Amino acid sequence: MTDISVRSVEAPEIGQQVILAIDTSLGTSVAVGSAGGVTEVSSDDPRGHAEVIGTLIERAFAEHGVSPQLVTHVVAGMGPGPFTGLRVGIAAANAFAFGRGLATLPLVSHDAAVLEALESGATAGVRIVQDAKRRELFVTDYRSLDWAGIPERAAEPHLAPRAGFESVANELWPERLPAAALVRLAARHLAAGRAFAPEHALYLRLPDVMQPRAPKPVTP
């Protein structure tokens, strides 16, 4: 079994809500938040998303001590991330939400990765960089937190070639995208009446496996 890590963080913004968040854009991370706190259960395995997602969801509820039947909101990290991994988390979030009769709330995964850095006082902007393979990087630039405590992007998530890439002072290469931060951000979006992210996943490029082309017509 892949190594699994568990951590708890304070989240006073949650209030009386029970929020489940799932992200598989980099590793696999699941978090459940309620009553002022969040429990996050994660695996850093870059490939075993489908194998561990069910275990992580079950364990997150058990560690947090709350029933899945009490969930009021379901959050999905929408990337950027690779096609194969990212869709596992989105599908899991959609399936759970459907079973509870809820809508899935989409958020940009890099917003979660930058939250703690901005809360710690980074003042010159922060860049999130993630290995996108094939000599490319997923990159998102941020200014600061807005009045609602939500990260403000200076540039939207985009692909950048690794060759010639220039680093900046406040640059972070996260090992995983923290679902606990997605829970906290969702609570802030709800409290402020802010719109969530678009519902489409941020693959940023076509999947490695392409649809086959139509066969050539047979000529007599």
Side-chain angles (χ1 to χ4, degrees), residues 11-39:
E13 60 267 71
I14 293 177
Q16 300 302 309
Q17 301 164 118
V18 179
I19 302 175
L20 167 68
I22 300 173
D23 192 287
T24 53
S25 58
L26 182 61
T28 305
S29 186
V30 176
V32 177
S34 68
V38 185
T39 302

Side-chain angles (χ1 to χ4, degrees), residues 70-211:
L70 298 178
V71 169
T72 58
H73 300 88
V74 180
V75 184
M78 306 304 285
F83 179 84
T84 302
L86 186 55
R87 62 179 180 171
V88 172
I90 296 173
N94 287 339
F96 190 100
F98 180 80
R100 291 282 296 119
L102 302 170
T104 303
L105 306 178
L107 286 174
V108 174
S109 300
H110 281 185
D111 288 2
V114 80
L115 182 61
E116 290 183 4
L118 294 177
E119 287 184 326
S120 67
T123 57
V126 179
R127 171 178 289 173
I128 299 297
V129 185
Q130 178 182 343
D131 186 4
K133 309 301 182 184
R134 293 195 290 185
R135 301 179 182 179
E136 293 178 310
L137 304 168
F138 296 125
V139 181
T140 312
D141 289 292
Y142 292 87
R143 296 189 184 93
S144 60
L145 295 176
D146 67 12
W147 65 268
I150 296 170
E152 288 185 313
R153 297 181 213 112
E156 293 300 310
H158 59 278
L159 273 175
R162 184 181 286 271
F165 180 76
E166 296 184 2
S167 296
V168 297
N170 291 333
E171 184 173 285
L172 299 177
W173 293 65
E175 295 181 358
R176 75 170 68 98
L177 277 299
L182 287 178
V183 169
R184 298 177 60 215
L185 287 173
R188 295 179 186 187
H189 274 75
L190 292 166
R194 295 283 294 276
F196 283 78
E199 296 181 358
H200 58 269
L202 294 171
Y203 299 125
L204 300 185
R205 67 183 177 205
L206 294 175
D208 293 326
V209 178
M210 302 297 295
Q211 293 294 327

